[in-house]
Amino acid sequence: MKTVFNIALGIHILSILGILGLLLAQVQKSPRKLNPGVIHAGLSAFVAGIVMTSIWKQVNPDETLNHTKIGVKLLVLLIILTLGYKNVKKDVLKNSVWAAMLGLTILNVVIAVAI
């Protein structure tokens, strides 16, 4: 189970970095367009997070899972996915939507590391 947890953790980290990288790739572009890979990476991060949460007790029997942290991270990821689904087919991505998605992704990383 430890191996499955570590694989899911690696996929989760790479997925969040994928979202961040794909959004940062649009910094110099005008007009910005949302890469569909953002949605794919978000869904991969979601599935990996569910796997890690599901097997937490088997991998770490002495530790308790911080459900508040997991809930906030889930909510942030769902907002990113919602913004992505609403804007993936549009020709131009508004600066405000791009900035919101980038800020939420950074917030998700900060929550994961700091709390």
Side-chain angles (χ1 to χ4, degrees):
M1 279 302 196
K2 185 77 169 171
T3 304
V4 174
F5 183 85
N6 287 333
I7 290 170
L9 178 62
I11 291 170
H12 187 74
I13 291 170
L14 289 174
S15 298
I16 296 297
L17 288 176
I19 295 171
L20 190 60
L22 289 170
L23 288 173
L24 287 175
Q26 297 291 321
V27 168
Q28 299 291 332
K29 305 243 174 133
S30 181
R32 291 186 174 111
K33 181 158 175 43
L34 185 64
N35 187 324
V38 171
I39 295 173
H40 177 76
L43 289 173
S44 297
F46 175 73
V47 170
I50 295 297
V51 169
M52 289 188 305
T53 305
S54 300
I55 63 174
W56 177 264
K57 272 297 186 194
Q58 286 91 11
V59 175
N60 302 309
D62 298 335
E63 298 179 32
T64 58
L65 185 62
N66 186 346
H67 293 286
T68 305
K69 174 181 174 178
I70 301 300
V72 171
K73 284 179 58 64
L74 175 64
L75 180 64
V76 169
L77 183 59
L78 289 177
I79 294 170
I80 292 169
L81 285 171
T82 302
L83 288 172
Y85 275 119
K86 287 188 174 192
N87 291 286
V88 72
K89 293 191 178 186
K90 293 184 179 177
D91 291 332
V92 177
L93 181 64
K94 291 182 183 178
N95 286 340
S96 59
V97 174
W98 174 80
M101 291 178 76
L102 185 62
L104 287 169
T105 304
I106 292 170
L107 174 66
N108 219 351
V109 172
V110 168
I111 291 170
V113 174
I115 297 176

